[in-house]
C-alpha cells in the first residue's frame, strides 16, 4: 500500500517537538524541553494564580484548590524560604 | 398543559428551577412543587443559595448552613451558607499546604494570598457556584429543585457555567501539554517516566464537575426552568426581556407560571372599590399575559388569603395548584 511507504505521522506536541529538535544533541534537546516547560510553568502560574498579580482569571475558589501544588513556585517566597533553610542548616 | 401535566409527562426532567424577579413567588412555588412531588412518593431535595435564608422562613425552622435537612417524608431542604463554606475551605487549603510540605505554619505570603482571594466578591460567587455543582452532581435524589435568587443571579450562574467551562478546558489543556514536555525531558535524561501530575488531576476533577453541571442545567431533557410572573405591567415587560436573554444561554425554558391571581368569584359579591379596581387591572394584564406567553402558561396560581409559610399553607396551595386544576 502507498500509505505504508510514508513515515508515520507523529501527533500532538511531541511530534512537533521532535521535528524542531531534530539535529540537536540530546543535551540541547533536554535543555530545550526544560526551558519550554519552564516558560509554560510561568504562564500556568499566571493564569491560575492571576489574582496574586491583580489579574483574576481562574475563579478564585478553584485557584485556591491549586494553590497547595504551586506553593513552592510562588515567586520570591521560595528563594527566601531556601535561604532560611540554609541558615538553619548551617546553625544547626 | 398544567404544571402537574409537565411533571407527570416528563419524568426525566429531574432538575427544576424557578426564576423571576424578587418577591414574585419563586420560593413559594419551589416549596409547593417540592411538597407535591414528595407526596407523590418522589425523593426531593429543595435547595437555595439565598443568604436571606428564605427556605428557613417558609418552613419556619432554621436550616441555614445545615446541609440537607429532612422536612417531611421524602422532602429535604438545604440552604447553602456561602461564608461558612469559604471559611471551611480556606482551612482545608491551609491544612493541605501544611501536610504537603511538612510546615509548622503556612508561609506568610501564601496566607496573605488566601486571605486576599477569599475577600474578593468573585470568591463568594465561585464558592456558591461550586456548592451548586456539588449538589447537582450527586444525583441521588429523584428531584432537585433549585430555588433561584433573582433573575440576574440565575443568568449570571448560567453564563458563569459556560465561561468556567471554557476556561477550565483551556487551562487543563495547557497543563496536559506541560506534562508532555516533562515526558520529553525525562526520556532524554533516560529517567523513569515522570510522576503523575497532581495539578492536572485537580484540573480534570474541576473540569468534569463543571462540565457535568452545566450539561445538566442546559439539557432540556433533564431540566425544567419555569418563569414566575405576576399580572403587573412592569413585571410582564421585564419577564419578556429576561426570556430573550435566557434563550441566549441555552436555558431550557419550560413555561410560565402566573402567580397571585385574584379568584374570579371574588368580583361577584359586593366588594370594596379598591378591590374591584385591582381585579379590573389584573384582568387587563392577564389578557396581556395570555397574548404574550399564550400556550406557554402552565398555571395560574391563586392569591391566598395570607402569606404562604408553614407546611399547612404550602399543602393548601399545593392542593389548589396540583389537584383542583388551575
Ligand atoms: N399565591 C400567593 N398567595 C399569597 N401570598 C403569596 C403567594 N405567592 C407568594 N406569596 C408571598 O409573597 C412573598 C414573596 O414570595 P416568595 O416566594 O418569597 O418570592 P421570591 O422567592 O420570588 O422572592 C412571601 O411572603 C409569600 O408568602
Ligand atoms: Mg426567594
Amino acid at each position: 500500500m502507498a500509505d505504508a511507504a510514508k513515515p508515520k505521522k507523529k501527533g500532538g506536541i511531541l511530534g512537533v517537538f521532535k521535528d524542531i529538535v531534530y539535529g540537536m544533541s540530546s543535551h540541547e534537546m533536554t535543555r530545550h524541553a526544560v526551558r519550554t516547560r519552564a516558560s509554560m510553568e510561568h504562564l500556568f502560574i499566571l493564569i491560575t494564580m492571576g489574582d496574586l498579580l491583580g489579574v483574576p482569571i481562574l475563579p478564585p475558589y478553584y485557584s485556591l484548590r491549586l494553590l497547595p501544588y504551586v506553593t513552592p513556585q510562588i515567586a520570591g517566597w521560595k528563594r527566601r524560604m531556601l535561604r532560611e533553610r540554609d541558615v538553619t542548616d548551617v546553625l544547626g | 398543559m398544567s404544571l402537574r401535566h409537565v411533571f407527570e409527562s416528563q419524568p426525566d426532567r429531574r432538575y427544576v428551577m424557578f426564576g423571576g424577579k424578587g418577591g414574585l413567588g419563586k420560593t413559594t412555588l419551589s416549596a409547593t412543587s417540592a411538597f407535591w412531588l414528595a407526596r407523590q412518593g418522589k425523593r426531593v431535595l429543595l435547595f437555595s443559595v439565598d443568604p436571606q435564608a428564605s427556605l428557613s422562613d417558609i418552613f419556619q425552622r432554621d436550616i441555614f448552613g445545615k446541609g440537607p435537612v429532612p422536612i417531611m417524608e421524602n422532602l429535604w431542604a438545604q440552604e447553602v451558607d456561602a461564608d461558612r463554606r469559604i471559611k471551611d475551605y480556606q482551612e482545608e487549603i491551609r491544612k493541605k499546604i501544611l501536610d504537603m510540605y511538612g510546615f509548622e505554619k503556612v508561609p506568610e505570603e501564601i496566607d496573605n494570598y488566601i486571605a486576599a482571594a477569599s475577600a474578593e466578591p468573585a470568591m463568594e460567587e465561585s464558592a456558591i457556584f461550586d456548592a451548586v455543582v456539588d449538589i447537582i452532581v450527586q444525583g441521588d435524589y429523584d428531584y432537585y429543585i433549585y430555588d433561584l435568587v433573582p433573575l440576574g443571579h440565575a443568568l449570571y450562574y448560567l453564563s458563569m457555567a459556560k465561561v468556567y467551562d471554557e476556561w477550565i478546558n483551556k487551562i487543563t489543556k495547557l497543563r496536559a501539554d506541560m506534562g508532555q514536555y516533562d515526558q520529553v525531558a525525562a526520556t532524554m535524561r533516560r529517567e523513569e517516566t515522570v510522576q503523575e501530575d497532581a495539578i492536572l488531576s485537580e484540573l480534570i476533577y474541576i473540569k468534569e464537575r463543571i462540565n457535568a453541571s452545566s450539561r445538566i442545567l442546559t439539557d432540556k431533557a433533564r431540566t425544567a426552568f419555569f418563569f414566575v410572573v405576576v399580572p403587573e405591567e412592569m413585571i410582564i415587560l421585564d419577564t419578556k426581556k429576561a426570556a430573550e436573554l435566557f434563550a441566549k444561554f441555552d436555558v431550557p425554558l419550560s413555561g410560565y407560571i402566573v402567580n397571585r391571581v385574584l379568584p374570579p368569584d371574588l368580583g361577584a359579591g359586593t366588594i370594596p372599590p379598591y378591590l374591584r379596581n385591582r381585579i379590573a387591572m389584573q384582568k387587563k394584564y392577564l389578557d396581556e399575559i395570555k397574548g404574550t406567553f399564550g400556550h406557554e402558561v402552565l398555571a395560574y396560581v391563586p392569591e391566598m388569603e395570607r402569606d404562604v409559610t408553614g407546611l399547612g399553607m404550602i399543602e393548601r396551595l399545593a392542593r389548589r395548584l396540583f389537584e383542583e386544576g388551575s
Side-chain angles (χ1 to χ4, degrees):
Chain A
M1 274 201 289
D3 276 351
K6 283 187 201 158
K8 268 227 178 88
K9 210 175 168 191
K10 291 177 205 95
I13 239 177
L14 275 178
V16 175
F17 183 82
K18 279 179 185 147
D19 288 346
I20 295 170
V21 299
Y22 183 74
M24 288 185 188
S25 71
S26 79
H27 177 65
E28 280 173 327
M29 281 188 239
T30 310
R31 269 187 30 207
H32 184 86
V34 170
R35 250 194 245 129
T36 312
R37 174 63 172 72
S39 59
M40 286 172 106
E41 183 80 42
H42 276 111
L43 180 61
F44 187 80
I45 301 264
L46 173 68
I47 291 173
T48 52
M49 303 289 136
D51 17 4
L52 259 182
L53 309 164
V55 209
I57 301 177
L58 191 68
Y61 195 83
Y62 298 122
S63 286
L64 278 197
R65 207 180 159 93
L66 300 184
L67 184 65
Y69 304 99
V70 297
T71 295
Q73 276 100 321
I74 303 286
W77 173 76
K78 186 190 183 183
R79 229 173 303 124
R80 211 165 50 238
M81 205 58 199
L82 284 175
R83 229 184 294 130
E84 280 165 16
R85 277 257 171 87
D86 289 347
V87 172
T88 44
D89 281 350
V90 170
L91 292 178
Chain B
M1 272 282 223
S2 67
L3 198 53
R4 175 177 183 154
H5 183 244
V6 168
F7 284 129
E8 283 176 345
S9 65
Q10 299 160 351
D12 291 338
R13 287 173 144 185
R14 300 167 44 215
Y15 301 87
V16 180
M17 295 182 274
F18 291 88
K21 289 195 91 168
L24 299 188
K26 293 181 296 299
T27 301
T28 305
L29 289 165
S30 302
T32 305
S33 302
F35 177 94
W36 183 76
L37 287 165
R39 275 287 169 87
Q40 305 308 109
K42 309 290 182 194
R43 299 175 77 253
V44 183
L45 178 67
L46 169 62
F47 69 100
S48 157
V49 300
D50 187 354
Q52 301 297 323
S54 46
L55 295 181
S56 290
D57 287 346
I58 197 163
F59 292 121
Q60 296 175 319
R61 53 188 283 195
D62 180 19
I63 62 163
F64 192 67
K66 295 187 160 63
V69 176
I71 299 294
M72 57 182 240
E73 200 186 350
N74 290 325
L75 176 60
W76 287 261
Q78 178 173 3
E79 279 180 328
V80 173
D81 178 350
D83 285 347
R84 179 80 259 150
R85 195 177 163 90
I86 292 169
K87 286 201 188 87
D88 293 348
Y89 187 56
Q90 283 178 295
E91 247 347 279
E92 204 183 298
I93 301 294
R94 285 200 188 92
K95 188 170 178 310
K96 188 156 186 178
I97 292 174
L98 297 183
D99 288 350
M100 271 175 86
Y101 301 99
F103 292 153
E104 294 276 297
K105 76 188 254 298
V106 175
E108 201 184 325
E109 198 167 344
I110 301 295
D111 219 21
N112 290 344
Y113 173 71
I114 295 175
S118 309
E120 274 186 62
M123 176 55 99
E124 192 181 341
E125 285 156 7
S126 57
I128 288 176
F129 178 91
D130 194 71
V132 174
V133 170
D134 246 4
I135 292 171
I136 284 182
V137 299
Q138 315 164 37
D140 37 9
Y141 292 90
D142 295 327
Y143 279 89
Y144 290 84
I145 301 192
Y146 185 1
D147 173 21
L148 289 166
V149 280
L151 273 187
H153 292 258
L155 193 59
Y156 179 82
Y157 174 83
L158 289 150
S159 61
M160 215 155 59
K162 263 193 164 173
V163 173
Y164 281 20
D165 207 18
E166 281 164 22
W167 261 109
I168 304 271
N169 278 342
K170 288 196 177 115
I171 294 167
T172 309
K173 181 166 184 314
L174 172 65
R175 193 72 203 176
D177 288 351
M178 286 164 72
Q180 293 205 310
Y181 279 95
D182 284 339
Q183 187 69 57
V184 171
T187 310
M188 300 281 188
R189 290 191 192 115
R190 310 212 182 285
E191 286 169 4
E192 301 272 300
T193 45
V194 286
Q195 50 173 275
E196 206 195 321
D197 181 8
I199 293 188
L200 184 59
S201 317
E202 285 287 339
L203 282 169
I204 289 173
Y205 171 78
I206 297 170
K207 175 174 129 82
E208 277 169 0
R209 276 159 40 93
I210 294 182
N211 279 347
S213 76
S214 97
R215 235 181 292 124
I216 289 170
L217 293 184
T218 53
D219 182 354
K220 229 183 156 74
R222 285 187 288 175
T223 299
F225 186 98
F226 302 110
F227 252 123
V228 183
V229 287
V230 296
E232 280 169 33
E233 187 171 20
M234 285 316 293
I235 301 297
I236 298 173
L237 282 174
D238 286 347
T239 304
K240 263 193 259 183
K241 273 191 229 142
E244 281 163 23
L245 264 174
F246 270 52
K248 285 199 190 129
F249 286 98
D250 303 327
V251 180
L253 192 63
S254 316
Y256 297 83
I257 296 170
V258 186
N259 192 15
R260 308 203 83 134
V261 179
L262 297 168
D265 50 344
L266 197 65
T270 43
I271 50 167
Y274 83 90
L275 201 52
R276 188 171 297 284
N277 190 33
R278 230 191 114 190
I279 292 172
M281 288 301 277
Q282 260 213 355
K283 183 164 182 334
K284 178 179 160 203
Y285 295 124
L286 281 172
D287 288 344
E288 195 174 323
I289 285 173
K290 276 173 199 147
T292 312
F293 306 118
H295 59 280
E296 291 178 279
V297 174
L298 299 171
Y300 293 91
V301 183
E303 167 92 23
M304 305 297 271
E305 63 283 1
R306 66 169 182 85
D307 273 2
V308 183
T309 42
L311 281 175
M313 250 341 246
I314 293 171
E315 177 165 19
R316 281 181 54 196
L317 185 57
R319 213 178 300 128
R320 297 284 298 268
L321 186 52
F322 290 98
E323 307 297 337
E324 290 164 19
S326 41

